[in-house]
Amino acid sequence: MISGIQQVGVGCENFTEAWKWYIEMFQMNVRILEDDTVAAKMLPYTGGVPQKRHACIAVNLQGGGGFEIWQYSDRKPQPCGFEIEAGDLGITCAKLRTRDADAFRKQIAGKMASGAFTPKGRHAGRVSEVCTMPDGKKGFMVQDPWGNYFQVVEDNYIFIEQHTLGGGISGATTGCSDIDKTIPLYRDLLGYDTVVYDKTDVFEDMKFMKGGEGRFRRVLLGHSQPRRGAFAPLFGNSTIELVQALDRTPRKIYEGRFWGDPGFIQICFDVTNMRELEKRSNELGFPFTVDSCKDDSHFDMGEASGHFTYIEDPDGTLLELVEAHKLTVMKRPHIFINMLTRNREKAFPKLFFRLMGMNKVKFE
């Protein structure tokens, strides 16, 4: 069972600086968990050495997946050595919700123009004009001060009203060398069984990105069945867009770099019954490359425990699968939820998420 996109990982060079910007621009202000320990299970992607890091998962309760904001603690993060272009191999763009594309675009542009939120030594960020996407929806693009692209798409889904214009993650865009080889992973394993569009052209909405003036094949995948699970109402519906450059040879975004280095690290899916998912994943030719609980134990994440695994798409882009086992509701007294003994298909009540909202973060 796939409950939705839990988060998209964003590697950064300055954890606090990045989170502050994402709170101000995208209202990613509710802390789900924060951890400053050693990533000991990711050796295939960290040079074979455990690496200390500072990370958090933050969400916008208005609805959607969150950000995993991630920084190496004892190693200098290595930015991409080239300017990422549309269609490069890896996650090129995270998709966000907005209830009003025109108003949200104006708000973000005003904040950028003020200069009040510009990190020292960086540009303020860039924002495109509002245009029509290939599926007919209105949207616009944002580039943050570190070069990451976000596509903001009009969507009227509201989970818990926060009186903001923006919502959380509604999908992601991945560059592929061959879309037809990548589709089975999302369709047959992760349930993105609906083709919203499959178009080949020069696209107006992509021209904001470097290299976006070329010809591309774009396939937007959605899911025909509503997602189920404890967090499904928070995540809402999601899409995956696959993009293939047709008039140039794309580059691999994380070639020669570590997982966690600056950029979009992974797309993470909230799942149930990891071992059954592993069987299906193996059948499709996408074996787990990382498994935090090979002995079916519990991986401790501080305020939570669970089981996480990683798979790669045909171009090596990382997808994370996370199954929650225990969630802390209150630290004192210690009140927690055992996810393994409750009805896994039943959604948490909104009161649970409103309690999560008490963990809002505000930087001075």
Side-chain angles (χ1 to χ4, degrees), residues 213-264:
E213 304 87 356
R215 287 181 73 251
F216 297 89
R217 180 185 174 195
R218 296 172 67 178
V219 177
L220 184 69
L221 301 175
H223 47 92
S224 61
Q225 299 301 312
R227 299 300 197 184
R228 296 169 290 132
F231 289 93
L234 169 65
F235 302 145
N237 293 335
S238 59
T239 59
I240 296 292
E241 185 168 28
L242 308 178
V243 175
Q244 184 175 341
L246 299 177
D247 52 11
R248 71 177 186 88
T249 301
R251 290 173 291 188
K252 190 171 182 179
I253 294 171
Y254 273 90
E255 188 74 54
R257 296 194 298 144
F258 286 3
W259 166 84
D261 275 332
F264 292 120

Side-chain angles (χ1 to χ4, degrees), residues 26 98 100-106 108 127-131 133 138-142 150-154 205:
F26 302 139
T98 179
D100 186 329
D102 293 296
F104 197 31
R105 189 263 172 207
K106 182 178 179 181
I108 290 175
V127 60
S128 76
E129 297 298 325
V130 174
C131 65
M133 307 295 179
K138 292 172 67 174
F140 61 94
M141 298 281 287
V142 175
F150 300 85
Q151 185 182 58
V152 185
V153 182
E154 206 162 75
D205 66 303

Side-chain angles (χ1 to χ4, degrees), residues 73 99 118 132 175 219 231 254 275 293:
S73 300
R99 67 170 89 210
T118 304
T132 302
V219 177
F231 289 93
Y254 273 90
R275 288 302 169 214
C293 304

Side-chain angles (χ1 to χ4, degrees), residues 6-159:
Q6 183 195 91
Q7 40 90 354
V8 171
V10 187
C12 60
E13 297 176 67
N14 185 311
F15 174 86
T16 302
E17 192 175 73
W19 196 1
K20 183 177 180 180
W21 199 89
Y22 294 136
I23 287 175
E24 188 57 47
M25 297 298 172
F26 302 139
Q27 296 79 55
M28 287 290 175
N29 59 1
V30 175
R31 180 196 285 114
I32 302 300
L33 60 86
E34 187 171 351
D35 196 17
D36 192 0
T37 55
V38 174
K41 303 286 187 177
M42 297 297 294
L43 301 187
Y45 304 112
T46 58
V49 178
Q51 300 282 352
K52 193 170 188 296
R53 53 87 170 101
H54 187 187
C56 76
I57 295 178
V59 303
N60 179 332
L61 286 183
Q62 204 140 280
F67 288 3
E68 182 181 27
I69 303 166
W70 209 103
Q71 182 199 337
Y72 280 104
S73 300
D74 295 335
R75 170 183 173 272
K76 183 176 174 57
Q78 297 299 309
C80 188
F82 56 87
E83 190 173 352
I84 295 167
E85 299 188 35
D88 277 341
L89 306 181
I91 303 160
T92 56
C93 183
K95 295 176 182 282
L96 294 167
R97 289 187 169 87
T98 179
R99 67 170 89 210
D100 186 329
D102 293 296
F104 197 31
R105 189 263 172 207
K106 182 178 179 181
Q107 182 184 87
I108 290 175
K111 289 179 178 180
M112 289 180 176
S114 76
F117 311 103
T118 304
K120 186 177 180 180
R122 298 284 179 176
H123 64 77
R126 300 190 304 128
V127 60
S128 76
E129 297 298 325
V130 174
C131 65
T132 302
M133 307 295 179
D135 59 353
K137 293 184 177 182
K138 292 172 67 174
F140 61 94
M141 298 281 287
V142 175
Q143 186 182 37
D144 72 15
W146 306 278
N148 302 306
Y149 290 101
F150 300 85
Q151 185 182 58
V152 185
V153 182
E154 206 162 75
D155 184 337
N156 61 9
Y157 181 74
I158 303 291
F159 178 54

